[in-house]
Amino acid sequence: MSALAPPRPLEGAISWNMNTTCNYRCTYCTQRFKDDRGKWAKDVDAYIAFFASLEGRWEVKLSGGEPFVHPRLEDVVAGIARAGHRVSVVTNFSAEREALTAFREAAGEQLRIFSCSLHLEYVPDLEAWLDKVTWLQAALPAAATLNVHSVATRASLPRLDAIRAAHERRGVVFKVQPEKQEGRVIAYAPAERDAVLALGGHNLLGEVAPSFEGLPCWAGARYFILDENGDAYRCYPARRRRKERLGNVLDGTFALREDARPCPYDYCNCTVPIERGMMPRAEKT
Ligand code: SF4
Ligand code: SF4
């Protein structure tokens, strides 16, 4: 398949898995087999210096593990904002309101997307959850957005339509993410697959398992993922396969590519570059 790459994105994006630490142990967590779930990016000042060295404006999306258990989260956020980049975060939203307020204040007007993962195994009271979500949404700067997403497990799928409706009644965007095992979407039955699509598909993209194989993608040049050790890869499928490593941002070996290159992977779960238009969207038949 051939297609032209979309225009070079003006703003780059980084998904930083800043720690493996988490206060939850979700049964479907893709990191639950990691040997060490207590690691975090320790050399915060070196990371901030790296972000400050990047040319142009970038969006740094913080994830983990759970970013709010990182002991220096506020310093990280303030440093990224000071460098002129924008800050997004994906969190299990278990942090106290005081910590959420401190995060919002540290990011200031540089806050872009606040993404809350609804882990139903840990949220017995949906109304209390919605109260907290709408409280934060009302306090965000005008340029920032908030969304809630939840993993569509076989157990939760029958509940998700009502849960989506409850969010929409409160003015909150709700998305589902298909469950993954070992880097692949689980083998949903046809009716389950239809239910996931009826909920908007993977992060409202209208597909269960997006693929851009063979198409040019700016990941590696205008997007990359960064782990808690400073290692950078083109995107999540690249990291999973330990391919297309871009070096390490702490030891001086990091180098971005210049151009968009064809995607060699048959499944793309990288919502950040998809939503930011870094590859052509294939025609659906
Ligand atoms: S909150 Fe996220 S990182 Fe933590 S256990 Fe659940 S899925 Fe894994
Ligand atoms: S898997 Fe997605 S982000 Fe990675 S190269 Fe392919 S299209 Fe780009």
Side-chain angles (χ1 to χ4, degrees), residues 43-64:
D43 202 347
V44 164
D45 297 333
Y47 280 98
I48 291 172
F50 163 72
F51 293 131
S53 75
L54 288 169
E55 272 181 40
R57 190 168 76 166
W58 290 71
E59 173 194 355
V60 184
K61 184 173 187 182
L62 306 172
S63 67

mmCIF file of all heavy atoms in Angstrom, residues 43-64:
data_model
loop_
_atom_site.group_PDB
_atom_site.id
_atom_site.type_symbol
_atom_site.label_atom_id
_atom_site.label_comp_id
_atom_site.label_asym_id
_atom_site.label_seq_id
_atom_site.Cartn_x
_atom_site.Cartn_y
_atom_site.Cartn_z
ATOM 1 N N ASP A 43 16.407 10.556 37.794
ATOM 2 C CA ASP A 43 17.221 11.724 37.503
ATOM 3 C C ASP A 43 16.361 12.809 36.856
ATOM 4 O O ASP A 43 16.536 13.172 35.691
ATOM 5 C CB ASP A 43 18.381 11.325 36.589
ATOM 6 C CG ASP A 43 19.531 12.309 36.683
ATOM 7 O OD1 ASP A 43 19.303 13.400 37.257
ATOM 8 O OD2 ASP A 43 20.617 11.999 36.172
ATOM 9 N N VAL A 44 15.427 13.327 37.657
ATOM 10 C CA VAL A 44 14.432 14.262 37.130
ATOM 11 C C VAL A 44 15.083 15.473 36.469
ATOM 12 O O VAL A 44 14.664 15.907 35.387
ATOM 13 C CB VAL A 44 13.490 14.703 38.275
ATOM 14 C CG1 VAL A 44 12.697 15.943 37.895
ATOM 15 C CG2 VAL A 44 12.548 13.555 38.619
ATOM 16 N N ASP A 45 16.115 16.012 37.076
ATOM 17 C CA ASP A 45 16.738 17.223 36.518
ATOM 18 C C ASP A 45 17.340 16.951 35.138
ATOM 19 O O ASP A 45 17.276 17.795 34.245
ATOM 20 C CB ASP A 45 17.805 17.765 37.471
ATOM 21 C CG ASP A 45 17.187 18.188 38.791
ATOM 22 O OD1 ASP A 45 15.992 18.537 38.789
ATOM 23 O OD2 ASP A 45 17.881 18.122 39.820
ATOM 24 N N ALA A 46 17.905 15.752 34.962
ATOM 25 C CA ALA A 46 18.481 15.405 33.654
ATOM 26 C C ALA A 46 17.378 15.254 32.601
ATOM 27 O O ALA A 46 17.550 15.655 31.446
ATOM 28 C CB ALA A 46 19.295 14.116 33.760
ATOM 29 N N TYR A 47 16.253 14.683 32.992
ATOM 30 C CA TYR A 47 15.134 14.584 32.043
ATOM 31 C C TYR A 47 14.639 15.978 31.664
ATOM 32 O O TYR A 47 14.364 16.265 30.487
ATOM 33 C CB TYR A 47 13.969 13.791 32.641
ATOM 34 C CG TYR A 47 14.148 12.294 32.583
ATOM 35 C CD1 TYR A 47 14.621 11.595 33.690
ATOM 36 C CD2 TYR A 47 13.834 11.571 31.436
ATOM 37 C CE1 TYR A 47 14.785 10.220 33.654
ATOM 38 C CE2 TYR A 47 13.995 10.200 31.388
ATOM 39 C CZ TYR A 47 14.467 9.528 32.502
ATOM 40 O OH TYR A 47 14.630 8.172 32.456
ATOM 41 N N ILE A 48 14.517 16.859 32.657
ATOM 42 C CA ILE A 48 14.020 18.207 32.358
ATOM 43 C C ILE A 48 15.006 18.930 31.429
ATOM 44 O O ILE A 48 14.602 19.615 30.479
ATOM 45 C CB ILE A 48 13.777 18.990 33.662
ATOM 46 C CG1 ILE A 48 12.579 18.377 34.398
ATOM 47 C CG2 ILE A 48 13.537 20.475 33.379
ATOM 48 C CD1 ILE A 48 12.344 18.913 35.787
ATOM 49 N N ALA A 49 16.303 18.744 31.673
ATOM 50 C CA ALA A 49 17.297 19.356 30.785
ATOM 51 C C ALA A 49 17.154 18.794 29.367
ATOM 52 O O ALA A 49 17.287 19.522 28.378
ATOM 53 C CB ALA A 49 18.706 19.089 31.325
ATOM 54 N N PHE A 50 16.863 17.495 29.266
ATOM 55 C CA PHE A 50 16.660 16.915 27.936
ATOM 56 C C PHE A 50 15.439 17.544 27.267
ATOM 57 O O PHE A 50 15.513 17.957 26.096
ATOM 58 C CB PHE A 50 16.471 15.396 28.035
ATOM 59 C CG PHE A 50 15.877 14.811 26.791
ATOM 60 C CD1 PHE A 50 16.631 14.718 25.625
ATOM 61 C CD2 PHE A 50 14.549 14.416 26.747
ATOM 62 C CE1 PHE A 50 16.077 14.227 24.444
ATOM 63 C CE2 PHE A 50 13.989 13.926 25.575
ATOM 64 C CZ PHE A 50 14.754 13.830 24.423
ATOM 65 N N PHE A 51 14.323 17.627 27.993
ATOM 66 C CA PHE A 51 13.127 18.209 27.370
ATOM 67 C C PHE A 51 13.414 19.653 26.922
ATOM 68 O O PHE A 51 12.979 20.087 25.858
ATOM 69 C CB PHE A 51 11.943 18.175 28.342
ATOM 70 C CG PHE A 51 11.455 16.780 28.669
ATOM 71 C CD1 PHE A 51 11.244 16.384 29.982
ATOM 72 C CD2 PHE A 51 11.214 15.868 27.647
ATOM 73 C CE1 PHE A 51 10.803 15.107 30.277
ATOM 74 C CE2 PHE A 51 10.772 14.579 27.935
ATOM 75 C CZ PHE A 51 10.571 14.192 29.259
ATOM 76 N N ALA A 52 14.149 20.386 27.746
ATOM 77 C CA ALA A 52 14.455 21.787 27.409
ATOM 78 C C ALA A 52 15.338 21.875 26.167
ATOM 79 O O ALA A 52 15.335 22.898 25.475
ATOM 80 C CB ALA A 52 15.132 22.473 28.597
ATOM 81 N N SER A 53 16.085 20.806 25.887
ATOM 82 C CA SER A 53 16.996 20.840 24.725
ATOM 83 C C SER A 53 16.281 20.543 23.409
ATOM 84 O O SER A 53 16.857 20.727 22.332
ATOM 85 C CB SER A 53 18.125 19.816 24.916
ATOM 86 O OG SER A 53 17.638 18.503 24.690
ATOM 87 N N LEU A 54 15.057 20.078 23.476
ATOM 88 C CA LEU A 54 14.332 19.732 22.246
ATOM 89 C C LEU A 54 13.947 20.987 21.486
ATOM 90 O O LEU A 54 13.484 21.967 22.082
ATOM 91 C CB LEU A 54 13.061 18.938 22.589
ATOM 92 C CG LEU A 54 13.276 17.508 23.077
ATOM 93 C CD1 LEU A 54 11.970 16.944 23.638
ATOM 94 C CD2 LEU A 54 13.796 16.627 21.940
ATOM 95 N N GLU A 55 14.113 20.926 20.191
ATOM 96 C CA GLU A 55 13.736 22.075 19.349
ATOM 97 C C GLU A 55 12.234 22.142 19.175
ATOM 98 O O GLU A 55 11.579 21.121 18.989
ATOM 99 C CB GLU A 55 14.364 21.921 17.964
ATOM 100 C CG GLU A 55 15.745 22.510 17.864
ATOM 101 C CD GLU A 55 16.294 22.349 16.456
ATOM 102 O OE1 GLU A 55 15.533 22.526 15.495
ATOM 103 O OE2 GLU A 55 17.484 22.023 16.374
ATOM 104 N N GLY A 56 11.700 23.358 19.223
ATOM 105 C CA GLY A 56 10.269 23.537 18.978
ATOM 106 C C GLY A 56 9.431 23.105 20.163
ATOM 107 O O GLY A 56 9.944 22.841 21.249
ATOM 108 N N ARG A 57 8.131 23.044 19.921
ATOM 109 C CA ARG A 57 7.238 22.701 21.021
ATOM 110 C C ARG A 57 6.831 21.236 20.952
ATOM 111 O O ARG A 57 6.500 20.725 19.892
ATOM 112 C CB ARG A 57 5.974 23.575 20.999
ATOM 113 C CG ARG A 57 5.153 23.388 22.272
ATOM 114 C CD ARG A 57 4.086 24.428 22.411
ATOM 115 N NE ARG A 57 2.964 24.160 21.525
ATOM 116 C CZ ARG A 57 1.785 24.752 21.640
ATOM 117 N NH1 ARG A 57 1.583 25.645 22.583
ATOM 118 N NH2 ARG A 57 0.805 24.474 20.786
ATOM 119 N N TRP A 58 6.846 20.607 22.107
ATOM 120 C CA TRP A 58 6.463 19.209 22.253
ATOM 121 C C TRP A 58 5.376 19.091 23.307
ATOM 122 O O TRP A 58 5.280 19.924 24.227
ATOM 123 C CB TRP A 58 7.672 18.356 22.653
ATOM 124 C CG TRP A 58 8.676 18.213 21.556
ATOM 125 C CD1 TRP A 58 9.516 19.181 21.080
ATOM 126 C CD2 TRP A 58 8.926 17.043 20.763
ATOM 127 N NE1 TRP A 58 10.285 18.699 20.043
ATOM 128 C CE2 TRP A 58 9.943 17.384 19.834
ATOM 129 C CE3 TRP A 58 8.411 15.753 20.751
ATOM 130 C CZ2 TRP A 58 10.443 16.457 18.904
ATOM 131 C CZ3 TRP A 58 8.898 14.832 19.829
ATOM 132 C CH2 TRP A 58 9.897 15.197 18.915
ATOM 133 N N GLU A 59 4.604 18.049 23.171
ATOM 134 C CA GLU A 59 3.654 17.664 24.218
ATOM 135 C C GLU A 59 4.227 16.438 24.915
ATOM 136 O O GLU A 59 4.512 15.435 24.244
ATOM 137 C CB GLU A 59 2.295 17.335 23.589
ATOM 138 C CG GLU A 59 1.286 16.761 24.575
ATOM 139 C CD GLU A 59 0.088 16.136 23.858
ATOM 140 O OE1 GLU A 59 0.007 16.231 22.610
ATOM 141 O OE2 GLU A 59 -0.755 15.551 24.555
ATOM 142 N N VAL A 60 4.416 16.527 26.207
ATOM 143 C CA VAL A 60 4.940 15.389 26.959
ATOM 144 C C VAL A 60 3.777 14.754 27.713
ATOM 145 O O VAL A 60 3.190 15.373 28.613
ATOM 146 C CB VAL A 60 6.046 15.815 27.949
ATOM 147 C CG1 VAL A 60 6.622 14.580 28.642
ATOM 148 C CG2 VAL A 60 7.152 16.587 27.222
ATOM 149 N N LYS A 61 3.438 13.541 27.316
ATOM 150 C CA LYS A 61 2.327 12.847 27.972
ATOM 151 C C LYS A 61 2.890 11.897 29.023
ATOM 152 O O LYS A 61 3.606 10.940 28.694
ATOM 153 C CB LYS A 61 1.497 12.078 26.942
ATOM 154 C CG LYS A 61 0.276 11.432 27.563
ATOM 155 C CD LYS A 61 -0.634 10.827 26.515
ATOM 156 C CE LYS A 61 -1.933 10.344 27.171
ATOM 157 N NZ LYS A 61 -2.835 9.706 26.206
ATOM 158 N N LEU A 62 2.572 12.153 30.258
ATOM 159 C CA LEU A 62 3.102 11.380 31.375
ATOM 160 C C LEU A 62 2.217 10.178 31.636
ATOM 161 O O LEU A 62 0.996 10.300 31.752
ATOM 162 C CB LEU A 62 3.158 12.254 32.632
ATOM 163 C CG LEU A 62 3.915 13.587 32.469
ATOM 164 C CD1 LEU A 62 3.734 14.443 33.719
ATOM 165 C CD2 LEU A 62 5.392 13.313 32.201
ATOM 166 N N SER A 63 2.845 9.009 31.721
ATOM 167 C CA SER A 63 2.087 7.818 32.109
ATOM 168 C C SER A 63 3.013 6.909 32.885
ATOM 169 O O SER A 63 4.164 7.254 33.153
ATOM 170 C CB SER A 63 1.505 7.116 30.867
ATOM 171 O OG SER A 63 2.532 6.577 30.079
ATOM 172 N N GLY A 64 2.532 5.753 33.274
ATOM 173 C CA GLY A 64 3.360 4.873 34.072
ATOM 174 C C GLY A 64 3.158 3.426 33.612
ATOM 175 O O GLY A 64 3.061 3.175 32.402
#
